[in-house]
Amino acid sequence: MPADTAVALGAFLAARDAPISVTAVYLVTLVANVTSAIGMYAVARTVGRNFLVSRVGRRLLSERSQVALQRAYERHHLWGIFVSRFLPGYRAVVPPFAGMIGLPASKALPPMVLATAIYYGLLVFVAHRIGSNWETVVRWLGHVTLGLAIAGGVVTVGVCWLVWRHRRRERADGH
């Protein structure tokens, strides 16, 4: 299960009278995510260069790509790292790549930690709000579902009518 799903579920359940607080969900998530990011950064900083020059490492990330990545980090290091931590898929590779290219911890870790705190804060907040207002959400989804069903029916009838009309014209034209 993706971590974001577990975090959202925990925050949702905290709002639904589960024996867990929303603050605990946030803090556990933040500490676990930041600790793993720092760990990945540290491992990559320690052994990453050796990996990148290995045969497998060069196949994974060519020397040209490594140089381009290093330039991108040097040019946009704070904002690049910060923004990347909000993007699914990229979020996980930011710490090891920052470590592999030798970016100092003083530059790499603060934007990672700040972005992680904001990202998971928003996720926990939204999931908790949904859990707190679940009955309203269910009613709203019922209206949306009904609206989509009606729209789908109208589109289906319209497409069927267009197909019928097109075939009727083809027969009338003798095709």
Side-chain angles (χ1 to χ4, degrees):
M1 174 186 327
D4 293 359
T5 304
V7 171
L9 179 60
F12 176 87
L13 293 174
R16 304 298 297 166
D17 297 326
I20 185 169
S21 77
V22 70
T23 305
V25 171
Y26 176 70
L27 291 176
V28 167
T29 301
L30 183 62
V31 169
N33 195 278
V34 167
T35 302
S36 66
I38 291 171
M40 291 300 297
Y41 168 84
V43 168
R45 175 86 187 212
T46 306
V47 298
R49 280 283 182 204
N50 292 335
F51 173 74
L52 286 177
V53 298
S54 72
R55 197 175 78 148
V56 173
R58 284 190 314 263
R59 291 190 81 186
L60 177 66
L61 194 63
S62 71
E63 194 170 324
R64 187 173 156 201
S65 296
Q66 290 177 39
V67 169
L69 187 59
Q70 177 119 19
R71 284 189 189 135
Y73 270 116
E74 289 168 358
R75 193 172 340 123
H76 307 291
H77 66 278
L78 293 176
W79 290 109
I81 290 171
F82 181 80
V83 171
S84 297
R85 291 292 286 173
F86 287 92
L87 305 174
Y90 291 103
R91 181 173 41 248
V93 299
V94 170
F97 280 129
M100 279 187 225
I101 65 166
L103 201 62
S106 62
K107 288 185 177 181
L109 298 180
M112 278 186 227
V113 172
L114 181 60
T116 300
I118 293 169
Y119 177 82
Y120 282 110
L122 289 171
L123 180 62
V124 166
F125 174 79
V126 168
H128 190 264
R129 293 286 298 184
I130 289 171
S132 298
N133 298 298
W134 186 241
E135 290 73 23
T136 303
V137 170
V138 168
R139 271 194 314 278
W140 180 79
L141 287 174
H143 295 308
V144 168
T145 303
L146 177 61
L148 289 173
I150 291 169
V154 168
V155 168
T156 301
V157 168
V159 167
C160 289
W161 180 78
L162 288 172
V163 168
W164 172 79
R165 193 173 119 198
H166 177 73
R167 287 184 178 168
R168 190 170 148 221
R169 282 187 181 163
E170 282 183 341
R171 276 182 273 176
D173 292 341
H175 291 357

